[in-house]
Amino acid sequence: MGSAAAGIHTTLPDVGSGLAAVGLVEAVSNLSGGSLIDRLGDLAVANTPLPMVEETIKHLGVTDKPFLRANVIAALALTAGFAIPGRRSLGVQAALAATGLAVAGLGRRRLDALEARRHRPFALPAAVDALGEVTDGAELWPGAEPLFTDPERFYQTDINLRPPAVDADRWSLEVQIPGGSRRLAIDELLQLDLQERDAALVCVHNRPGWDRLGQQRWTGLPVLDVLGLAGDLPDDLDHYDLITTAVDGYSQVIPLATARQARTWIVFGMAGRALARKHGFPARVMTPGVVGQYNGVKWLSALRVAPRGSQASWWTRRRSWLGEPGWPRELVWVKPMARIDSPARPGMPPRLPPPPVHVDAGAVSFVGTAWAPPQGVAAVEIRLDGGAWHECQLARPINDDSWRRWRAALDLPLGTHAIEARCHGGDGTVQAGYPKEPFPSGAGAYHRVLIRAS
C-alpha cells in the first residue's frame, strides 16, 4: 500500500516548477516584443468551436479574456510540471510559483513599455463638418444613461487577447479597386475633409439588459471617398464587395452598395481624440446599423473591392464542431431593443441573477435607452406584470443612428413586480419578445426587471 501511495505521489505534476518555467519563458518572450501566453490564447480563440465561444461570452461576459489567459497559464504550468523531473516540497513549489509569476509580471511591464513607445497617438485636425454640442432634453432625468458613453467604459470585443500596438508613423492603408491601387499614409488621410458623426455601435452578443454597446461622436471619412482616391469605382456597385482587413489578419466583408447606402466610414477619432489602442488605433471601419461583428474591422490595414461573394469574413469562415455553418455570410443588422437603466443595474456577467430592486410603493419613475439604427427609434413602451403596454416619453432624437433616452411612470402596488420594455423602430419593426440566442442573427427578448415595492 505504501508503494502504491508513493507511485500516486510521484505522478503529481510539479506545478510550482511549471509556473516558474512558464514565467521565465513568458518574460523572455516579452523582452522580444511578444507574448507566448497571448499568442497561444489567440490560437485558442481561432480554433475554439463556435458553441463553446457562444457559451463563454454568455456566462463570462467581459471576463472571457482573463479567463482564457488564466487557462493558458494553467495548461502550460501543468504540462511543464509533468515534464520536469523530481518532486519538490509544497513550500519549494510555492516559492518557485511566486518567483515565476513575479518574473512574468516584470516581463509584462517591459512589454507594456515597449508597446507604449510604439503607440504614439496623433492630434486630430479640426473636422471640416464639425458637429456642435448636442442635447436631447433628458440631461436632468434622474438615473438616465449619459448621452455619450465614456470612452473608457465603451465596450471592447475582438479576437485578440492583447490589442495590436500599431506605429502610426510606419502604418499605411492599402487601397485596391478594379483597375487601380494606392497606399495612403496617416498624414495623407488626416489632410482630407474629416467629418464628425454621432452613432451607436452594438455588439451582436448584446443581450437584453447588457451594456455591450455604446454611443459616441466619431471623426472620419466616408469609405467610398477613400476608395475613390485609387481610381474610378465600378458603375454597378451591386456586383462588388468591400473587403476590410486588419493588421492582425481579421477581415469583414461589406457589400459595396450597402457601404454606400449606410455611409460606411473610416474612423480615426472618438470623442474628439485619436482612437485608443483598444478601439482600433489608428483607423477602424464603422457601419452604423450593422452589428459590431459585421460593420468593419479595427486596426485597419487594407480596403479591397472584389467581385460579390468572392470572399467571406473571418467569422463566416468558422464552422461549428458539429459541421454546421458558421456565422451567416450576409450582414446582420441591429434589431430594435429597449433597456431599463433605472431603477435597474444594466451590465454583463459574470454575475448571479440580479435580485429585485427595492422601491417605495406608489408612483415609480423608470428611465432607459432604446436603439434601432439605422431607421431610428419611433416609440418605446413599458408594461407591468405582463399587462397592457404604456407608451413612454421620448427624449428628442439626435439622429437615426443614435440611441434615444426615454422615461415613464408606473403606479406599483405592494409586492414584487416584473417590468418589461420594448422598442419600435422607425420602419415599423417591433422588438421581438421571445428569447433568442445571439447566434446567428442577434439576441431577442424584452429587458425584464424585478421590482419589489414596499
Side-chain angles (χ1 to χ4, degrees), residues 121-124 150-152 216-217 219 268-276:
F122 45 76
L124 283 176
D150 186 322
E152 292 303 316
Q216 253 303 337
R217 175 161 293 177
T219 303
F268 306 103
M270 176 183 187
R273 300 186 297 273
L275 289 169

Side-chain angles (χ1 to χ4, degrees), residues 14 87-95:
D14 189 341
R87 184 71 167 89
R88 290 148 191 86
S89 68
L90 292 178
V92 172
Q93 286 197 51

Side-chain angles (χ1 to χ4, degrees), residues 385-403:
D385 296 330
W389 289 102
H390 302 277
E391 191 165 352
C392 303
Q393 177 188 355
L394 293 177
R396 292 190 300 270
I398 297 177
N399 57 48
D400 290 343
D401 293 332
S402 296
W403 63 25

Side-chain angles (χ1 to χ4, degrees), residues 43-54 293-294 309-330 439-440:
L43 290 174
V45 171
N47 294 280
T48 299
L50 283 177
M52 190 177 299
V53 173
E54 296 302 295
Q293 181 168 304
Y294 284 83
S310 60
Q311 297 189 40
S313 300
W314 192 90
W315 276 109
T316 303
R317 296 194 301 268
R318 295 287 309 277
R319 296 292 183 267
S320 79
W321 64 328
L322 299 176
E324 299 170 346
W327 285 89
R329 179 181 287 267
E330 298 302 317
F439 180 86

Side-chain angles (χ1 to χ4, degrees), residues 44 53 81 103 106 156 175 202 213 244 273 280 298 307 371 400 419:
V53 173
V103 170
L106 291 173
Q156 174 195 358
V175 182
V202 184
L213 81 158
T244 66
R273 300 186 297 273
K298 296 189 289 188
W371 51 91
D400 290 343
I419 313 298

Side-chain angles (χ1 to χ4, degrees), residues 238-243 253 255 306-312 329-330:
D238 290 331
H239 289 91
Y240 292 90
D241 284 332
L242 172 63
I243 316 299
V253 178
R308 187 85 166 91
S310 60
Q311 297 189 40
R329 179 181 287 267
E330 298 302 317

Side-chain angles (χ1 to χ4, degrees), residues 155 157 200-206 212-213 250 252-254 284-297 315 327-328 330-337 371 373-374 438 440-443:
Y155 84 98
T157 180
L201 290 183
V202 184
C203 179
V204 70
H205 291 287
N206 193 64
R212 208 174 175 103
L213 81 158
Y250 184 79
Q252 287 295 344
V253 178
I254 305 169
R284 67 181 294 171
V285 176
M286 182 188 75
T287 308
V290 176
V291 296
Q293 181 168 304
Y294 284 83
N295 71 39
V297 301
W315 276 109
W327 285 89
E330 298 302 317
L331 296 183
V332 175
W333 293 83
V334 175
K335 294 179 172 59
M337 186 173 285
W371 51 91
S441 59

